[in-house]
Amino acid sequence: MKRSLIARFAAIALVVSGQGVLAQGTAPQFGKDPIKAIVKAMSLDDKVKIVVGKGFSLPGMSMGSNDETPDKIFAISGHTIPLAKFSIPSISMADGPSGIHRWAMTAKDSANNSFSTAWPVGTLLASSWDTTLIHKVGVAFGEEIKDYGIDFILGPGANIHRNPLGGRNFEYYSEDPLVSGSAAAAIINGIQSQGVGATLKHFAANNQETNRASVNEIISERALREIYLRNFEIAVKRSQPWAVMSSYNLVNGTYTSESNGLITKILRDDWGFKGIVMTDWFGGKDAVAQILAGNNLLMPGSPAQIKAITEAVKSGKLSEAVLDKNVEGILNVWLKTLTAKGFDYPNKADLKAHAQVARMAAAESMVLLKNSTQTLPVHGGATVALFGTHGYDLIAGGTGSGDVNKPYAISLADGLTNAGFKVDAALQKSYKDYLSDYAAKHPKKPLIQEIMNPSPFAPEYKVDGSVATQKADASDIAIVYIGRNAGEGNDRKVEGDYQLTGQETDMINQVSDAFHAKHKQVIAVLNIGGVIDVTIFRDKVDAIVLAWEPGEEGGNAIADVLSGKVNPSGKLATTFPSVYSDVPSAKNFPGKEFSEKATMGMMGKSIPAEVVYQEGIYVGYRYYHTFKVKPAYEFGYGLSYTNFTYSKLTLSSLSFHGKQIASVTITNSGKTAGKEVAELYLTAPKGQLDKPSEELKGFAKTRLLKPGESQTLTFTLNAKDLASFNTDKSAWIADAGKYEVKIGASSENIKLEKTFMLPGSLTVEKVHKALAPQASIDELKN
């Protein structure tokens, strides 16, 4: 009996170690046998099918297929190739960052209510400065992903807002890497708590859409490490996403998906990333270089990639051992999926419950930019004259892969009505008739054309000045509503997009003049995907609510803020400049093109391009504050319907030894319950490196404080928070000297300050030398 047990345990040990001999004629089975044993039993053809996706197809078109088995889920972004003999299933992947995106829906999908919740976009969620709230959204989002049988959501996007014209800024969180990385980690942890994978993207420096698949971004190692990689580093270390998606662009001469320095040296070796790396769809040029770089999975996959990898192994250009490592990495992650575990998904989500989470998150994240003479909140029952086409046609989110197949979108007109306000009926009819007429005359284009070049929204409806005067007599208050949208494939323009159109300016002027003549107030609501010029109208209105793109429940959420049901507590995670020319990257965005070298590729015409990041580390508030350029609204800014006082700033020590703990007491000194975000900025001593005047190193949000109630918030600074990246030494180094801790309500509204000393210079972390630019950059210096 003993000998039998010993023999059994020995056999189990051999199988676990990958050295066991399986019964003749049987293949090792995924989920039962060791991954190493499966890979060892695979043919070259099998291995290549694991690292190259199934292909990309949409209703009525295909861009090449590597496998003829039916897709598990209709019209989502991608599937992997199943290998039946090993019981390896096809893994499914769907866009996008603000809700599940399907390229098309069938009549059956609609009849079964297989819609997806449109969540508030990334920029709005980041404006909450509340990682607990963002995590809650992630949990609900993860539930929905699981319920529809999807293994990976292709999000979140965590790229930096380098320039306000970035077409996909709405998907991303902030101009600051700490806010961006913290928000991304929170939503990833929430999503993955449900047993589905998140895909952190676009790695790295995908900060523009113009020539996104061909632009070479020339960036210093320091700017990369401190700004454009730090956000990803924070997210990876705090959440370990199952996947990271490499970006389309080149960084310092190499496609990111082909960069061993980026994917292996930095992501895996420096940061300890454990998941897989997949390409963006059709990203990069050289399939073999991508495998060598450590980019495990090529999506969506093409026959040409399978051929290239197979031939490279046969010729010796690609070691089969390298291919094996990539296959093992993929299969180890596939083991985590619910598909691999045989989950019987219901294909039905609790859309009603998730809509309430979306509404709560949107309202809690909105930013009150202006509130003269306590214009807001507006008390129930008021008669409202609502001007602006998108007040009747909500922009829930952006276009392209960031769009969502949502069941509905609540306009502000409907939200106000639901909240008990009286929306002027005649004005509402005029706008709705206009929108219906425009839609009839401008039908949507065929699917692919609509994806690549979305139909523009209706121009702003022209309201006659006499109408504004008439409504000023009949209404208690006016709302002027500004809408903006953007998305994948195109960046925004300054004229008529960043800036207001002539018709929008006329509308605001007419409404403002008419209502102010009657001593009635005007509120502006901004339903926008990116920063706009507010200076032209902010003095014309009495209050401004920044709603960003608030998801399907947007109108209800905006009404919650306008009515005071929710006291706004959001703060800006990105700066609003006074003029576009103040933006530090304005002179070199989106770079220069080399049209004479244009070629045709999978994604259309490809024009080689180049952009030099001459602003270096001086992105957003780091630039405005250091160089004393006054923005329209600074980073971290946001008002409330109450007031808060800051007191009792304490530090754990006057000298830094391993960590520094700061605490501050926040008191609601007003008359309304509310929440406050406290921000910790750090000014470092002048050492070997040029440094910004201050950098955000911590933030925290209070609970809902009643009038007179206080809460103490605590921040912990570690050694890396003190450090800057020294390129010559490939290390994070904290300079000796005096450090200033500044606690404030915004980057410019500092309430309390204290200092501590670092006795000696400190090398915090040595990292790999990687991603050095090929030529020197004439970077901006303080």
Side-chain angles (χ1 to χ4, degrees):
M1 186 70 171
K2 281 185 179 178
R3 189 173 295 171
S4 175
L5 285 171
I6 291 169
R8 186 179 299 173
F9 287 135
I12 291 170
L14 281 172
V15 171
V16 171
S17 68
Q19 298 172 17
V21 178
L22 294 148
Q24 190 172 4
T26 64
Q29 296 298 291
F30 183 66
K32 295 181 180 179
D33 297 304
I35 295 299
K36 285 185 181 295
I38 295 173
V39 176
K40 186 176 181 180
M42 283 179 167
S43 67
L44 175 58
D45 180 60
D46 294 330
K47 294 172 184 177
V48 177
K49 285 180 177 177
I50 295 296
V51 300
V52 179
K54 193 168 177 284
F56 188 67
S57 61
L58 293 173
M61 69 159 291
S62 174
M63 295 187 181
S65 175
N66 294 321
D67 182 75
E68 296 306 319
T69 58
D71 287 344
K72 174 186 168 187
I73 301 172
F74 174 73
I76 61 171
S77 294
H79 292 82
T80 62
I81 301 173
L83 292 180
K85 62 184 171 182
F86 299 107
S87 299
I88 297 172
S90 177
I91 300 302
S92 58
M93 301 170 183
D95 285 306
S98 301
I100 298 167
H101 173 80
R102 300 173 194 251
W103 295 104
M105 286 184 71
T106 65
K108 183 180 178 183
D109 290 329
S110 298
N112 290 341
N113 204 31
S114 298
F115 292 98
S116 305
T117 305
W119 305 101
V121 298
T123 306
L124 179 55
L125 288 178
S127 301
S128 72
W129 296 64
D130 186 343
T131 54
T132 300
L133 178 145
I134 298 171
H135 182 271
K136 188 177 294 185
V137 171
V139 170
F141 192 4
E143 287 174 356
E144 202 161 293
I145 296 163
K146 175 179 67 178
D147 288 342
Y148 285 131
I150 296 164
D151 297 298
F152 282 82
I153 195 72
L154 302 176
N159 293 100
I160 295 296
H161 293 173
R162 176 180 178 242
N163 186 285
L165 302 184
R168 295 180 85 169
N169 279 358
F170 71 95
E171 293 186 31
Y172 306 145
Y173 295 110
S174 176
E175 68 188 32
D176 178 79
L178 176 61
V179 174
S180 178
S182 301
I187 204 162
I188 289 168
N189 283 326
I191 290 169
Q192 294 187 168
S193 73
Q194 300 304 300
V196 294
T199 307
L200 180 64
K201 64 181 188 181
H202 305 87
F203 189 60
N206 182 189
N207 307 308
Q208 63 185 67
E209 289 298 289
T210 305
N211 300 315
R212 63 177 179 169
S214 58
V215 63
N216 179 25
E217 302 186 343
I218 300 171
I219 315 171
S220 72
E221 292 173 76
R222 184 183 177 195
L224 278 166
R225 290 281 188 170
E226 292 192 14
I227 306 293
Y228 301 105
L229 296 181
R230 182 68 176 137
N231 46 332
F232 287 99
E233 180 183 5
I234 291 167
V236 165
K237 289 181 175 179
R238 292 186 186 179
S239 69
Q240 278 295 340
W242 290 8
V244 166
M245 181 189 289
S246 51
S247 56
Y248 286 122
N249 51 284
L250 301 87
V251 172
N252 295 332
T254 303
Y255 282 103
T256 60
S257 61
E258 300 172 14
S259 174
N260 184 271
L262 180 67
I263 293 170
T264 296
K265 290 182 179 178
I266 293 176
L267 179 61
R268 289 202 170 95
D269 296 344
D270 287 346
W271 300 349
F273 176 62
K274 306 298 183 187
I276 63 164
V277 178
M278 68 176 77
T279 63
D280 204 338
W281 269 224
F282 306 107
K285 297 289 185 184
D286 187 334
V288 177
Q290 289 171 325
I291 298 297
L292 286 167
N295 199 123
N296 305 76
L297 181 62
L298 281 53
M299 291 300 291
S302 71
Q305 290 172 325
I306 285 184
K307 181 181 178 183
I309 295 169
T310 303
E311 290 179 351
V313 173
K314 289 179 177 178
S315 70
K317 181 180 176 183
L318 173 63
S319 165
E320 195 160 355
V322 172
L323 182 60
D324 288 353
K325 186 177 180 181
N326 278 8
V327 172
E328 283 184 30
I330 290 170
L331 294 181
N332 277 315
V333 173
W334 278 191
L335 274 176
K336 299 180 181 182
T337 64
L338 293 173
T339 292
K341 295 174 181 177
F343 177 65
D344 185 16
Y345 63 94
N347 202 29
K348 186 178 180 65
D350 192 348
L351 298 177
K352 187 174 181 180
H354 294 168
Q356 293 312 303
V357 176
R359 176 176 178 171
M360 175 274 297
E364 291 278 347
S365 304
M366 290 178 187
V367 185
L368 181 61
L369 295 178
K370 181 178 181 178
N371 195 23
S372 299
T373 62
Q374 296 182 315
T375 297
L376 294 174
V378 180
H379 297 291
T383 301
V384 179
L386 176 59
F387 296 87
T389 56
H390 289 289
Y392 303 89
D393 183 23
L394 180 80
I395 303 173
T399 62
S401 61
D403 194 11
V404 182
N405 304 92
K406 52 194 172 292
Y408 58 81
I410 301 293
S411 69
L412 180 57
D414 290 337
L416 289 169
T417 300
N418 295 339
F421 293 98
K422 300 180 182 69
V423 179
D424 185 279
L427 200 56
Q428 182 165 209
K429 184 178 186 304
S430 296
Y431 274 101
K432 287 192 170 183
D433 287 348
Y434 167 71
L435 287 167
S436 296
D437 182 64
Y438 184 85
K441 293 176 180 177
H442 300 83
K444 294 285 186 182
K445 299 187 285 282
L447 177 63
I448 298 302
Q449 293 180 35
E450 195 64 45
I451 290 168
M452 300 304 292
N453 186 22
S455 297
F457 286 125
E460 187 56 61
Y461 177 56
K462 190 171 183 179
V463 178
D464 188 87
S466 61
V467 173
T469 301
Q470 177 190 345
K471 300 307 175 187
D473 286 328
S475 305
D476 298 317
I477 201 162
I479 295 176
V480 289
Y481 197 99
I482 303 298
R484 286 290 184 277
N485 207 1
E488 189 172 10
N490 296 283
D491 288 316
R492 299 170 59 213
K493 307 297 182 187
V494 173
E495 188 175 349
D497 190 346
Y498 174 80
Q499 297 172 342
L500 295 191
T501 65
Q503 283 177 268
E504 288 170 331
T505 302
D506 289 344
M507 173 185 71
I508 292 172
N509 288 340
Q510 289 171 1
V511 172
S512 176
D513 290 347
F515 275 75
H516 287 158
K518 300 290 183 180
H519 306 291
K520 295 179 180 180
Q521 292 158 315
V522 179
I523 302 161
V525 172
L526 310 183
N527 175 195
I528 56 179
V531 171
I532 65 170
D533 181 0
V534 295
T535 60
I536 196 167
F537 68 85
R538 65 177 174 179
D539 292 337
K540 300 276 187 179
V541 298
D542 303 289
I544 305 174
V545 172
L546 174 59
W548 290 116
E549 291 176 336
E552 64 188 39
E553 283 283 329
N556 286 331
I558 298 168
D560 287 342
V561 170
L562 295 176
S563 67
K565 180 178 180 181
V566 173
N567 188 346
S569 59
K571 296 195 176 187
L572 292 179
T574 198
T575 303
F576 274 60
S578 293
V579 292
Y580 176 71
S581 58
D582 283 346
V583 176
S585 60
K587 293 179 181 177
N588 51 25
F589 179 92
K592 59 183 178 181
E593 297 180 340
F594 304 99
S595 301
E596 70 280 4
K597 298 179 181 178
T599 57
M600 291 301 295
M602 289 293 292
M603 300 179 71
K605 190 175 183 180
S606 176
I607 303 174
E610 179 181 282
V611 57
V612 181
Y613 284 42
Q614 287 183 300
E615 70 277 10
I617 60 170
Y618 291 105
V619 179
Y621 72 90
R622 286 170 169 81
Y623 168 76
Y624 295 105
H625 298 166
T626 303
F627 292 89
K628 296 179 172 53
V629 177
K630 181 71 174 173
Y633 293 112
E634 74 268 18
F635 178 81
Y637 171 87
L639 302 175
S640 171
Y641 297 153
T642 191
N643 299 306
F644 298 95
T645 56
Y646 288 58
S647 63
K648 301 177 184 176
L649 173 59
T650 63
L651 301 181
S652 58
S653 175
L654 295 179
S655 184
F656 186 88
H657 297 286
K659 66 179 180 180
Q660 177 70 264
I661 299 174
S663 64
V664 65
T665 298
I666 309 295
T667 302
N668 184 344
S669 54
K671 298 179 180 179
T672 305
K675 301 177 182 179
E676 173 69 341
V677 175
E679 305 156 29
L680 187 153
Y681 296 87
L682 192 67
T683 296
K686 180 69 175 175
Q688 300 176 34
L689 302 177
D690 187 55
K691 295 178 184 178
S693 58
E694 66 252 354
E695 295 182 281
L696 183 75
K697 297 298 180 181
F699 60 90
K701 194 167 190 174
T702 68
R703 64 179 180 272
L704 186 69
L705 298 178
K706 299 175 184 176
E709 190 176 6
S710 298
Q711 182 179 350
T712 298
L713 301 176
T714 301
F715 309 84
T716 299
L717 296 172
N718 58 40
K720 194 162 182 177
D721 293 322
L722 277 57
S724 299
F725 187 74
N726 188 307
T727 303
D728 293 338
K729 297 180 180 179
S730 293
W732 290 87
I733 296 176
D735 290 311
K738 183 173 70 173
Y739 287 78
E740 299 174 50
V741 173
K742 302 175 179 180
I743 303 284
S746 78
S747 55
E748 290 190 355
N749 186 9
I750 301 301
K751 303 287 189 178
L752 301 167
E753 299 182 31
K754 281 203 171 181
T755 63
F756 65 88
M757 297 296 295
L758 178 63
S761 178
L762 190 63
T763 298
V764 177
E765 182 183 0
K766 290 277 290 181
V767 296
H768 285 84
K769 181 77 173 176
L771 303 183
Q774 298 158 313
S776 62
I777 302 170
D778 183 20
E779 280 191 311
L780 184 64
K781 293 286 188 287
N782 178 11

PDB file of all heavy atoms in Angstrom, residues 368 428 464 474 771:
ATOM      1  N   LEU A 368     -17.345  71.692 -10.788  1.00  0.00           N
ATOM      2  CA  LEU A 368     -17.966  73.010 -10.775  1.00  0.00           C
ATOM      3  C   LEU A 368     -16.861  74.036 -10.996  1.00  0.00           C
ATOM      4  O   LEU A 368     -16.009  74.245 -10.131  1.00  0.00           O
ATOM      5  CB  LEU A 368     -18.676  73.242  -9.444  1.00  0.00           C
ATOM      6  CG  LEU A 368     -19.418  74.569  -9.265  1.00  0.00           C
ATOM      7  CD1 LEU A 368     -20.539  74.717 -10.297  1.00  0.00           C
ATOM      8  CD2 LEU A 368     -19.975  74.680  -7.853  1.00  0.00           C
ATOM      9  N   GLN A 428     -37.838  73.268 -26.664  1.00  0.00           N
ATOM     10  CA  GLN A 428     -37.501  71.854 -26.808  1.00  0.00           C
ATOM     11  C   GLN A 428     -37.977  71.312 -28.154  1.00  0.00           C
ATOM     12  O   GLN A 428     -37.254  70.587 -28.836  1.00  0.00           O
ATOM     13  CB  GLN A 428     -38.129  71.050 -25.655  1.00  0.00           C
ATOM     14  CG  GLN A 428     -37.787  69.575 -25.691  1.00  0.00           C
ATOM     15  CD  GLN A 428     -38.095  68.878 -24.376  1.00  0.00           C
ATOM     16  OE1 GLN A 428     -37.441  67.919 -24.038  1.00  0.00           O
ATOM     17  NE2 GLN A 428     -39.076  69.351 -23.630  1.00  0.00           N
ATOM     18  N   ASP A 464     -32.744  82.708 -32.875  1.00  0.00           N
ATOM     19  CA  ASP A 464     -32.934  84.134 -33.125  1.00  0.00           C
ATOM     20  C   ASP A 464     -32.892  84.912 -31.811  1.00  0.00           C
ATOM     21  O   ASP A 464     -33.368  84.437 -30.780  1.00  0.00           O
ATOM     22  CB  ASP A 464     -34.277  84.365 -33.826  1.00  0.00           C
ATOM     23  CG  ASP A 464     -34.441  85.801 -34.280  1.00  0.00           C
ATOM     24  OD1 ASP A 464     -33.985  86.108 -35.397  1.00  0.00           O
ATOM     25  OD2 ASP A 464     -35.002  86.598 -33.503  1.00  0.00           O
ATOM     26  N   ALA A 474     -40.151  84.451 -19.905  1.00  0.00           N
ATOM     27  CA  ALA A 474     -40.990  83.334 -19.474  1.00  0.00           C
ATOM     28  C   ALA A 474     -40.302  82.341 -18.541  1.00  0.00           C
ATOM     29  O   ALA A 474     -40.983  81.543 -17.894  1.00  0.00           O
ATOM     30  CB  ALA A 474     -41.494  82.587 -20.713  1.00  0.00           C
ATOM     31  N   LEU A 771      15.575  52.705 -24.412  1.00  0.00           N
ATOM     32  CA  LEU A 771      14.802  53.717 -25.143  1.00  0.00           C
ATOM     33  C   LEU A 771      15.530  55.049 -25.296  1.00  0.00           C
ATOM     34  O   LEU A 771      14.896  56.106 -25.336  1.00  0.00           O
ATOM     35  CB  LEU A 771      13.439  53.947 -24.479  1.00  0.00           C
ATOM     36  CG  LEU A 771      12.540  52.726 -24.321  1.00  0.00           C
ATOM     37  CD1 LEU A 771      11.202  53.137 -23.708  1.00  0.00           C
ATOM     38  CD2 LEU A 771      12.308  52.030 -25.648  1.00  0.00           C
TER      39      LEU A 771
END
